[in-house]
Amino acid sequence: MVVISDTLKKLKITAVDRTEDSLEGCLDCLLQALAQNNTETSEKIQASGILQLFASLLTPQSSCKAKVANIIAEVAKNEFMRIPCVDAGLISPLVQLLNSKDQEVLLQTGRALGNICYDSHEGRSAVDQAGGAQIVIDHLRSLCSLTDPANEKLLTVFCGMLMNYSNENDSLQAQLINMGVIPTLVKLLGIHCQNAALTEMCLVAFGNLAELESSKEQFASTNIAEELVKLFKKQIEHDKREMIFEVLAPLAENDAIKLQLVEAGLVECLLEIVQQKVDSDKEDDITELKTGSDLMVLLLLGDESMQKLFEGGKGSVFQRVLSWIPSNNHQLQLAGALAIANFARNDGNCIHMVDNGIVEKLMDLLDRHVEDGNVTVQHAALSALRNLAIPVINKAKMLSAGVTEAVLKFLKSEMPPVQFKLLGTLRMLIDAQAEAAEQLGKNVKLVERLVEWCEAKDHAGVMGESNRLLSALIRHSKSKDVINTIVQSGGIKHLVTMATSEHVIMQNEALVALALIAALELGTAEKDLESAKLVQILHRLLADERSAPEIKYNSMVLICALMGSESLHKEVQDLAFLDVVSKLRSHENKSVAQQASLTEQRLTVES
């Protein structure tokens, strides 16, 4: 390494004197030393202060500019050399060299800038200020259709440079998107799909850019879906497929692209993967099965793509997905149940599926997961049943198929996501189904569990759904027995609290249930209503200007119903209800104004 010190000294002199031959010799010597031990040579270069001289050797007139750019590319492989390269003022002359017509100069300059930008905020900033990105994108555009090896190598370097420049930097990625890099890269992928290195660069770039929301619209206006599916069909290696998956997943979050992917035949590829990998226990195959089936479910989240694949319930894709549910593979059971939940997003599909026996398949699946079951499968199957229970016509069919019994087996679950879906499914099933609501409302085990979950402060979703189901049991059954069960289990206080919810729909459901309690079983519930401070809460709801009209209306209906209880009547008299109610007689909402008049009469008579 003594030689390198001599070379550096000599280089300092010749760089100033510009003796071309000895300069070339010195640079060759440096490149050789870097090839043997890059880190050590780079340290010596930095210590010698020669970097500052390189700027003068990067001028368009300089005959050794390509070699100097090559040396910079080599030293910038070291993290500790990137900021010194920026400080030595090398970025601006390097960016100027991007205007060269010489392929070797372009190649080495692209490498140098790409390496300086790698994980370096300072490097990226300097390239950004010098306007390097736009020049590189222009090159990509003009060189895009040339397929000779030298040109493909240059395109690969330029793609790599843009990637290093913008990786994990949202504002620089947005800048590239605004410069129109996406259509250019998609075109590159289409033309150069035989070139593995370039294809890989394009894929990594897509993966980075696709994370940005603003990129999705640009991607949707290209034929990216077609190109990726074409590429995917050709791949045999797991790693290459995995790379394509990493681009497909963020892109498929966009509904327009979902449809394009379905039309380009991605679903058929995914179904084939599932078929090939389902019985394998190799780790790569298990990963691919999961990625493939997850992506399939994601495609079904778009309304148009989902409907296209449903094909009136006759679609081969829909049929294949159905066959996943009885399989022995948990991942497929999960994907199958989630897919059904996605297909069940409109009444027509739901009615068709229930008429064609899907409920029994889902109940069998749940049955297999009652004891120490797979929580994600339980959650997915319950989600599907909940969605299927939305159309009125399906409720009675599902009730007579025994869905409530199947769902109640999970009452002992300690998993909030499962509890949440279980509650939602039962609530959907009993909507306007008096008999079912009465049967469930008299089920002490269920009601006690609901009361317990009404206190699940850590899980707002479970708490809200439990309250709503309690209220629904009363509203749909209008049964004294149900009210008695709820009173005995300590559920009244939760319904009173629910009347103060921030969600109008929940407040309303609570007030209607409480009015039914007051009408049917006031004597039994009296003490609980009193200790829950119902009268004070109603006063507050009526006095609050922000309360919705329906809340005011139902609060007044409830006040009238409470007059039948001596103790509650006394509470109403003690609070100045007349003042609040008489103000509401001039309310802009007709129903509220009328109910205010009636309530005022009632209060006056009773006082």
Side-chain angles (χ1 to χ4, degrees):
M1 287 305 273
V2 184
V3 195
I4 177 91
S5 316
D6 296 345
T7 306
L8 289 166
K9 275 186 199 137
K10 199 166 157 192
L11 191 55
K12 276 190 181 170
I13 300 161
T14 45
V16 181
D17 298 349
R18 295 288 167 110
T19 11
E20 299 293 341
D21 294 349
S22 55
L23 192 54
E24 292 277 342
C26 290
L27 294 172
D28 287 336
C29 204
L30 275 188
L31 279 170
Q32 235 173 337
L34 283 163
Q36 282 166 0
N37 188 333
N38 190 319
T39 313
E40 201 178 321
T41 307
S42 295
E43 284 168 346
K44 291 214 153 90
I45 289 176
Q46 191 191 357
S48 74
I50 198 92
L51 278 179
Q52 276 73 7
L53 290 175
F54 281 168
S56 63
L57 300 176
L58 287 171
T59 57
Q61 300 76 34
S62 162
S63 62
C64 55
K65 51 189 177 282
K67 267 183 192 159
V68 175
N70 188 356
I71 291 171
I72 297 170
E74 288 303 315
V75 301
K77 286 178 176 174
N78 303 286
E79 194 183 342
F80 66 86
M81 288 300 284
R82 291 175 198 146
I83 293 178
C85 284
V86 176
D87 293 344
L90 301 181
I91 302 298
S92 188
L94 281 169
V95 169
Q96 288 309 309
L97 285 183
L98 287 173
N99 296 307
S100 166
K101 298 276 178 282
D102 181 316
Q103 202 155 25
E104 179 63 15
V105 171
L106 288 174
L107 186 76
Q108 299 305 344
T109 306
R111 286 184 59 233
L113 289 170
N115 290 350
I116 292 171
C117 285
Y118 185 80
D119 252 356
S120 160
H121 171 68
E122 292 76 8
R124 292 169 180 181
S125 250
V127 173
D128 178 21
Q129 277 160 0
Q134 185 67 62
I135 306 174
V136 171
I137 291 178
D138 292 342
H139 277 305
L140 288 179
R141 268 197 206 110
S142 58
L143 301 171
C144 185
S145 42
L146 305 174
T147 54
D148 58 286
N151 188 58
E152 291 198 318
K153 191 174 178 191
L154 181 56
L155 288 169
T156 308
V157 164
F158 279 159
C159 280
M161 185 226 136
L162 288 180
M163 237 166 48
N164 287 352
Y165 171 69
S166 66
N167 188 31
E168 291 184 354
N169 182 316
D170 285 0
S171 66
L172 291 180
Q173 287 180 350
Q175 178 197 70
L176 294 183
I177 291 169
N178 291 335
M179 290 175 177
V181 74
I182 288 174
T184 307
L185 288 174
V186 174
K187 196 169 161 195
L188 270 182
L189 182 68
I191 296 172
H192 302 273
C193 53
Q194 303 302 329
N195 183 312
L198 186 47
T199 301
E200 204 161 299
M201 276 298 178
C202 286
L203 287 173
V204 178
F206 290 148
N208 288 345
L209 296 170
E211 298 293 338
L212 271 198
E213 223 18 73
S214 58
S215 74
K216 307 273 168 68
E217 276 174 37
Q218 281 222 14
F219 275 118
S221 63
T222 67
N223 61 339
I224 181 100
E226 208 179 313
E227 294 297 355
L228 288 174
V229 173
K230 205 159 66 186
L231 194 63
F232 192 81
K233 285 177 176 163
K234 283 197 297 218
Q235 300 306 330
I236 307 146
E237 293 168 54
H238 168 76
D239 293 347
K240 291 271 163 46
R241 279 177 163 182
E242 209 46 41
M243 275 188 84
I244 301 173
F245 271 141
E246 277 170 21
V247 180
L248 287 169
L251 285 180
E253 285 167 11
N254 175 285
D255 281 0
I257 300 176
K258 282 187 183 78
L259 190 59
Q260 291 168 6
L261 289 168
V262 168
E263 284 169 348
L266 178 61
V267 172
E268 288 70 17
C269 300
L270 297 175
L271 289 171
E272 204 173 306
I273 286 180
V274 167
Q275 206 165 356
Q276 288 167 2
K277 314 287 179 189
V278 65
D279 298 319
S280 165
D281 44 16
K282 291 214 307 248
E283 199 168 317
D284 280 356
D285 290 348
I286 293 168
T287 308
E288 213 163 306
L289 177 77
K290 176 171 171 26
T291 314
S293 52
D294 283 350
L295 188 52
M296 179 80 203
V297 172
L298 181 59
L299 291 175
L300 293 172
L301 274 173
D303 287 338
E304 281 186 84
S305 47
M306 177 271 287
Q307 214 48 46
K308 191 176 173 67
L309 295 170
F310 188 65
E311 287 180 65
K314 306 280 184 289
S316 59
V317 174
F318 173 65
Q319 297 301 330
R320 288 279 284 282
V321 168
L322 272 188
S323 71
W324 294 356
I325 293 176
S327 92
N328 289 318
N329 181 306
H330 280 185
Q331 174 56 34
L332 276 198
Q333 294 171 357
L334 170 65
L338 287 172
I340 297 302
N342 284 344
F343 278 126
R345 284 213 313 280
N346 63 49
D347 283 7
N349 292 5
C350 289
I351 292 165
H352 178 91
M353 287 192 277
V354 168
D355 288 345
N356 284 278
I358 187 69
V359 170
E360 290 67 21
K361 284 191 171 70
L362 289 166
M363 280 164 46
D364 288 345
L365 176 60
L366 276 175
D367 243 10
R368 294 161 68 181
H369 287 277
V370 175
E371 298 303 325
D372 314 316
N374 180 308
V375 174
T376 47
V377 175
Q378 293 171 358
H379 179 258
L382 288 166
S383 292
L385 286 171
R386 180 196 176 281
N387 287 3
L388 290 166
I390 293 172
V392 178
I393 194 169
N394 281 355
K395 297 181 197 293
K397 292 174 186 168
M398 291 175 71
L399 288 166
S400 59
V403 173
T404 36
E405 294 73 18
V407 169
L408 285 170
K409 290 177 186 165
F410 294 92
L411 256 189
K412 53 181 185 292
S413 169
E414 292 303 333
M415 292 299 183
V418 174
Q419 297 166 353
F420 180 72
K421 285 297 176 188
L422 168 150
L423 292 163
T425 307
L426 291 176
R427 190 164 63 77
M428 282 303 155
L429 281 170
I430 62 164
D431 192 7
Q433 308 294 311
E435 203 179 317
E438 178 157 15
Q439 209 182 339
L440 278 177
K442 293 193 293 196
N443 178 332
V444 179
K445 263 204 180 110
L446 168 67
V447 174
E448 284 177 346
R449 193 72 160 133
L450 289 183
V451 170
E452 182 189 329
W453 285 341
C454 281
E455 290 168 4
K457 298 260 188 301
D458 298 340
H459 301 287
V462 173
M463 199 162 102
E465 277 293 340
S466 304
N467 277 306
R468 293 189 75 183
L469 184 53
L470 263 188
S471 151
L473 292 170
I474 295 170
R475 288 182 298 113
H476 298 303
S477 72
K478 301 185 174 57
S479 147
K480 293 183 167 199
D481 291 345
V482 171
I483 293 171
N484 279 316
T485 309
I486 290 173
V487 171
Q488 277 153 16
S489 307
I492 297 297
K493 63 172 185 277
H494 297 300
L495 290 171
V496 175
T497 307
M498 182 181 169
T500 63
S501 161
E502 62 204 41
H503 305 290
V504 174
I505 192 162
M506 285 176 65
Q507 279 186 294
N508 226 10
E509 288 172 356
L511 291 170
V512 174
L514 288 164
L516 282 165
I517 293 171
L520 297 169
E521 279 292 327
L522 187 54
T524 322
E526 184 177 49
K527 285 223 167 10
D528 289 350
L529 293 172
E530 220 174 313
S531 61
K533 307 235 181 309
L534 173 63
V535 174
Q536 288 86 324
I537 285 170
L538 292 174
H539 190 274
R540 213 166 56 231
L541 289 176
L542 287 174
D544 188 346
E545 282 170 16
R546 290 164 307 181
S547 296
E550 58 268 43
I551 300 303
K552 298 202 157 161
Y553 178 88
N554 283 324
S555 297
M556 289 188 283
V557 171
L558 183 47
I559 285 291
C560 294
L562 294 177
M563 300 300 234
S565 144
E566 212 170 305
S567 55
L568 292 167
H569 183 171
K570 184 172 181 323
E571 284 192 16
V572 172
Q573 281 177 320
D574 291 347
L575 283 166
F577 264 91
L578 263 172
D579 301 352
V580 188
V581 172
S582 57
K583 275 188 196 140
L584 292 175
R585 278 199 334 223
S586 54
H587 196 276
E588 57 190 355
N589 181 298
K590 287 254 168 45
S591 309
V592 172
Q594 277 175 326
Q595 187 56 44
S597 296
L598 291 171
T599 309
E600 190 181 34
Q601 286 166 19
R602 189 76 197 271
L603 289 169
T604 320
V605 171
E606 301 280 343
S607 62

